Amino acid sequence: LKNVTVFAYSLGTVAKGIKIRGLSSFLMLFYNQVMGVPAALAGTAIMIALILDGITDPIVGVASDNTPSKWGRRHPYMYLSAVPFALTYLLLWTPPIGWSDTGLVIYMAVMVILVRFFDTLYEVPATALVPELTPDYNERTRIIGYRYLMGILGALIMTLYAYKVLF
């Protein structure tokens, strides 16, 4: 594959790196320490989102495997997920001010569930696309390596943003 194709394909993983770093490193801290949500409630919201994510991943995988379209079976999911993912991720980090703990934890749970779902709509089909890009094992390994590199770049971006802007 041409390097421009590999770069363009890998670039989509920046969002996953941003999401993973934000949710794994800063979400609990933000909602507990900044927004004042009790840690047990915030942890419960995250747990519910993770359970639902474990259910939606294989469903999206099966749907992606069996979707006929003029753009291919993977691309419709990837295209449809970008804007909703960005919007829900933004909303996750800009919760309403003045809500009760219960209201905030429900808001948090809904936003985390939606962020994870829209990420699933992109990542599951995008990952399944690799063998369709090339039959060569070494080339697939190279492509996945670039995807990981872009994911790490996204995590770095989120870390810098969190420490410079959010906190």
Side-chain angles (χ1 to χ4, degrees):
L1 286 175
K2 294 182 181 180
N3 285 336
V4 69
T5 302
V6 172
F7 177 76
Y9 171 73
S10 300
L11 196 59
T13 310
V14 170
K16 184 174 183 78
I18 290 170
K19 181 214 73 163
I20 287 173
R21 176 63 71 222
L23 270 58
S24 65
S25 298
F26 302 115
L27 186 66
M28 176 68 87
L29 179 67
F30 178 73
Y31 273 87
N32 179 247
Q33 298 297 310
V34 177
M35 299 306 299
V37 174
L41 292 177
T44 301
I46 293 168
M47 178 189 69
I48 291 167
L50 286 168
I51 290 168
L52 290 175
D53 190 43
I55 294 168
T56 60
D57 283 0
I59 292 169
V60 170
V62 169
S64 171
D65 287 344
N66 296 296
T67 298
S69 85
K70 65 181 179 179
W71 300 294
R73 57 188 179 162
R74 313 289 181 201
H75 289 87
Y77 297 94
M78 296 164 66
Y79 296 150
L80 289 172
S81 66
V83 172
F85 174 81
L87 180 62
T88 55
Y89 197 75
L90 173 68
L91 290 172
L92 176 64
W93 296 102
T94 54
I97 304 297
W99 282 21
S100 68
D101 289 346
T102 303
L104 279 174
V105 80
I106 290 169
Y107 177 88
M108 176 191 175
V110 169
M111 289 301 114
V112 175
I113 289 166
L114 290 174
V115 164
R116 288 189 160 283
F117 177 70
F118 292 125
D119 179 60
T120 292
L121 282 182
Y122 180 84
E123 280 298 322
V124 170
T127 303
L129 186 61
V130 176
E132 296 174 11
L133 292 174
T134 179
D136 182 70
Y137 175 82
N138 292 325
E139 184 69 5
R140 289 193 308 262
T141 303
R142 182 175 81 92
I143 293 168
I144 293 296
Y146 281 110
R147 278 181 56 90
Y148 276 102
L149 177 64
M150 291 298 182
I152 291 168
L153 178 64
L156 177 61
I157 290 168
M158 181 61 195
T159 302
L160 293 174
Y161 176 75
Y163 287 126
K164 294 285 186 181
V165 177
L166 294 179
F167 303 113

